[in-house]
Amino acid sequence: MNSSVSRADLLLYLSEHSLAELSTVLDCFGYKRIKPLAGAKASQTSDVINPPPALVVVPERKASIETPLPPSLFYQRTATEPSTLLPADEGSDVAMLAWVEAIGGQPLDLSAPKYLAVEVPSLEPLVAWVRLLPVLRQSLSERQIQPRPDINKLVKRLAKGEQIHALPKRERQVWAAQAILLLDSPTRLNGLNGDYAWLEQALSLARGKVGLMSATLLDLTTRRVIINNQEQILLLSPATPVFILSDLGIYEASGQVSRDWLNFGRWLHQQACRPYVLLPAPTRYISDALSRCFQVISWDRFSSLQVLSPTGLSREQIHTTQQADTVMAERFLELLSVAVEIEPRLLRALRYQLPHPQPLGVAAELLAWNYPEVERLTTHIEFKPEYGAQCRAALKERLQQQPELAKAFYQLVTCQLANQFLLDYSTAVSWCAVGAEPQDAQVIAAERYLQQFILAVHTNSEQRGLAYQGQYLLAQQPDTLKGEKAYYSSLWAILSRCHASTASRPKWLNHQAANAFLVSTGGVQTYHLVQVGEWFYLGTEAALQALQPTGFKLAFYPLASIRTAQQLVIEQRAEVLLDHYLSVSDCLQFSPSPKPWQLHIGGACWTLAGLVRPAWAGSVQCDASGMQLAIEPTGADELGDYFDLVFQNIPQRFRYIPPQTFLMGSPPEEEGRSSNETQHPVTLTQGYWLADTTVTQALWQAVMGKNPSHFQGEQLPVEQVSWEDAQAFIQALSQAFPALIIRLPTEAEWACACRAGTTTAFAFGGKAELNLERVNYSGAWDKSNAKGATKPVKTYPPNAWGLYEMHGNVWEWCSDWYAGDYGAEPQTDPRGAGSGKHRVLRGGSWIDYGRYCRSAYRVRDTPDFRDYDFGFRFALGHLSSGTGQEQAGSLNGQARYGVAPARAGGQTAGEGFDSAQPPDRSLSAAEGNKDDLLKPSLAERIGEAARGWLGRWGRKK
């Protein structure tokens, strides 16, 4: 044994750590395991240490495989210059901002009233009462016979020579003694509640309340209504007129409500009643069926208020019209975005009083009220923050281009919104200031109120209500405005400090305005930036020494030292800016990166970059995706090497598939062959690790938190997953293991693994060898069977490479776009079509023909399609470089062709794989997720760093 660490040191370490952790320490310090005796069978199980999310720990490797350790990567400080993000470190506080000085540093008086005591205009009616009253008289009236004779009728009858038996009496139209006003008030019509109440009150005054029954509809199918605050079933007498206020379901997308109204109308006909309907929509929205079933009157200021004749319109035609009108509604919503709470009164005023390219009817109001990007409340609607900011950006540009509109808009908004919450009112006034006169007193007061509110959030940070209002205020503003107004940058900084946020700095941020509330100063301290293994630590000398694990001494590689009184540190990687805060007693940890990155501290900016490999040194395996970490086998069995990836105590085993050339497709004489299986040679220049089973429901549940499968069982393959669902799973798992490149296999990789070196229809032989003991399929060569079900993974024997259920059970998604035919030409690292509408599935399933389960059989489907026989297995490794492309591991930093979706990666292509030199099985490490890296304790983090560093330089033979 040749090691600087004695057995006594190891016993000391064991007294404070687990035996599993000691296993890795033994590797770091060169203690070699005893090789198993010849002929001894390798264990099928191994204890896998649960690593921090950013690392994959392989505690045991097969002694017979000598995988070279990845070379180390060191960093240097390449530049130091004044920071553009932080002020110079002068040992004093940051100067007060101009906007704070403008308000004298006085925050908002929180005890002051939050509303202005003003009268606002009332809701304008949809149709003037003088026009609507005759319609109501006509629909709610009856003919009354008077005692006086009708002389005109008598003269006409005598002129015709008719014999008079009784004198004709005079008749006149009068209000019906009994009448029903039926109000339909679903959520989609809440914007008309004021109109309903106004009409009901006006009708009661004109007609009188006696005999007028107002009923609010609860349920169409059961005809339940509320009358005088009591729920009851609607009953009608034949002579009673019915007047309905409703949209008859035309603003409801599914069409089910309209069908319910038609059924209700048929019931009314059975009661000898054909009601009138005052409908808030243009005539182009009313279908032929509704116009025949009801006496419909369009309730709009552009309407003639006449009963419609049958329109002849189908629901499809109406839907097309509404889609076209939605564009008009979106332009209308831009105007509405000035307010936080959009009341019906504002909707009506903006529609009536502003100039529009084309007249806006009531449909504009209701389409805006029911737009998907707004939230409907009882009395008003509110924009969802992202959509509201988008509309406000468009509105500002629109007002700048149309000065006349801007002027009218400003005057209307300041009048209509004066009764709203003062913070919302100030926001709206400052927003529509484009149309205000220079130095307008209302605009100045509104901006001052906003600034005082922001300062109040800072001085009263313990009040969560203020912070919530500030967060909502910030979310409402578009990036352009936040970039123009420095106080919004200050608000972002105040909220970031209140919530201890770790979010990156936005692009619009004014760093000077933000830093005034983030930069704090204390005593001058000296901080050291050091590299330990692959990680960086920034802290005082005492804090760094506190990271030393018990019984071990680490050598820090120093990068820089600086004396500063500022505690704010900004980490800059490309366009991402992250804030950190220095502490005398703790260290900041930063993940490695192959690209240059910056640290802003104490008014200076340090640029850190990897050392260029000198000519005399070996290769540095680092590319645009980061460090390359070698996957070493967890163990071996009679089927070869395997690697176990463990997530939440659920292992997924992988088998290594080496680079090779094989025949893809099927020979012409193969029974069951399809036309898209042209046989051709394929060369895979890169090795990869492939899961030995499809993803189980247990693993899917652990990663995704839900189980979509039709057949339930932890060890059953997950199914009813689309290609897009598989990508979501891979993305989620990649967050837990950022050092691994996780992806779907290409079709060529899948076919190679399925064949496992064979050329027959199945990995175990031809059609004659196919049976239900080997494959879960329909049981017939050319017939499906829907009575079957999936079987647990590893139910059937594996192929020669240790892969289970490559034939049958569930179809497996591949990464490729579907290509109609391979062609007969030899191919190298094929990846299917460059684009398309369908993705590839391979392998057959429990429900399908036996011939579908052949190694060469191919199907396709759209990436969003799911079925209860669709599953997948995933691979670890890189997509191969194309011919003539830069090979993985190159140092030019250029992106390579064929990088896996959403994750860069590249495996060294290898300069030949021979028996003396095992193939390189390394994977690129993506840049670490800093949030994940900071989760372990300090002892765990430094322990990992020690193992990484000592594993590279301290290993003894």
Side-chain angles (χ1 to χ4, degrees), residues 26 67 71 82 117 183 207 216 221 283 296 312 345 392 404 425 428 460 473-474 531 573 580 598 617 738 816 863 946:
L26 291 172
T67 303
L183 308 176
R207 179 198 175 281
T216 301
T221 56
T283 56
V296 178
R345 174 175 48 81
R392 286 189 166 190
E404 291 302 320
Y425 174 73
N460 298 272
L473 172 64
L474 193 64
Q531 180 181 356
R573 297 177 187 256
H580 309 281
Q598 289 78 36
D816 306 38

Side-chain angles (χ1 to χ4, degrees), residues 27-28 33 40 43 93 108 180 240 316 329 347 414 424 435 445 479 575 586 628 637 651 659 664 666 674 766 927:
D27 286 345
C28 292
R33 292 181 177 80
S43 172
D93 294 336
L108 191 68
I180 295 178
T240 303
E316 290 72 20
L347 277 163
T414 52
D424 297 341
D479 291 351
E575 297 182 355
D586 202 357
Q628 290 189 359
D637 55 20
M664 189 170 177
S666 60
S674 297
E927 291 189 15

Side-chain angles (χ1 to χ4, degrees), residues 386-640:
E386 290 185 4
Y387 184 70
Q390 176 185 334
C391 285
R392 286 189 166 190
L395 174 60
K396 183 175 183 181
E397 182 178 353
R398 184 175 171 186
L399 295 178
Q400 290 172 342
Q401 295 174 353
Q402 303 178 39
E404 291 302 320
L405 173 64
K407 184 176 181 179
F409 184 70
Y410 173 75
Q411 294 173 350
L412 188 148
V413 166
T414 52
C415 176
Q416 291 287 333
L417 299 183
N419 71 322
Q420 289 203 357
F421 185 52
L422 195 52
L423 178 61
D424 297 341
Y425 174 73
S426 299
T427 305
V429 171
S430 62
W431 238 106
C432 60
V434 176
E437 296 292 334
Q439 300 300 314
D440 185 285
Q442 286 181 296
V443 177
I444 295 174
E447 191 163 82
R448 180 181 179 86
Y449 186 90
L450 289 174
Q451 294 169 349
Q452 289 179 320
F453 169 79
I454 292 172
L455 199 58
V457 177
H458 173 62
T459 56
N460 298 272
S461 58
E462 72 282 354
Q463 295 194 21
R464 294 184 176 271
L466 277 177
Y468 174 79
Q469 291 176 9
Q471 191 170 4
Y472 190 72
L473 172 64
L474 193 64
Q476 291 173 324
Q477 316 308 319
D479 291 351
T480 52
L481 180 67
K482 288 184 285 192
E484 292 174 3
K485 304 293 186 181
Y487 50 79
Y488 284 122
S489 295
S490 298
L491 177 58
W492 179 89
I494 293 167
L495 295 173
S496 179
R497 201 69 185 262
C498 286
H499 299 299
S501 173
T502 58
S504 62
R505 291 192 170 200
K507 294 180 180 180
W508 54 263
L509 194 71
N510 181 318
H511 298 288
Q512 180 184 2
N515 291 337
F517 293 90
L518 292 176
V519 174
S520 57
T521 58
V524 177
Q525 296 286 339
T526 300
Y527 298 93
H528 305 281
L529 179 68
V530 299
Q531 180 181 356
V532 180
E534 299 172 0
W535 313 107
F536 302 99
Y537 292 89
L538 178 64
T540 62
E541 184 174 354
L544 291 172
Q545 292 301 325
L547 296 179
Q548 299 278 2
T550 304
F552 297 90
K553 182 174 178 60
L554 294 177
F556 297 130
Y557 175 64
L559 291 173
S561 298
I562 189 171
R563 285 177 59 81
T564 179
Q566 294 182 9
Q567 296 177 333
L568 176 64
V569 176
I570 302 178
E571 175 189 0
Q572 180 178 2
R573 297 177 187 256
E575 297 182 355
V576 177
L577 301 173
L578 295 173
D579 290 354
H580 309 281
Y581 294 93
L582 290 167
S583 169
V584 176
S585 59
D586 202 357
C587 294
L588 297 178
Q589 183 187 31
F590 303 96
S591 60
S593 170
K595 297 180 180 180
W597 57 289
Q598 289 78 36
L599 274 179
H600 298 261
I601 178 173
C605 174
W606 303 343
T607 300
L608 304 172
L611 290 170
V612 178
R613 177 177 64 88
W616 48 264
S619 63
V620 176
Q621 292 178 292
C622 177
D623 59 18
S625 65
M627 294 288 293
Q628 290 189 359
L629 303 178
I631 284 187
E632 301 179 41
T634 303
D637 55 20
E638 65 277 5
L639 297 173

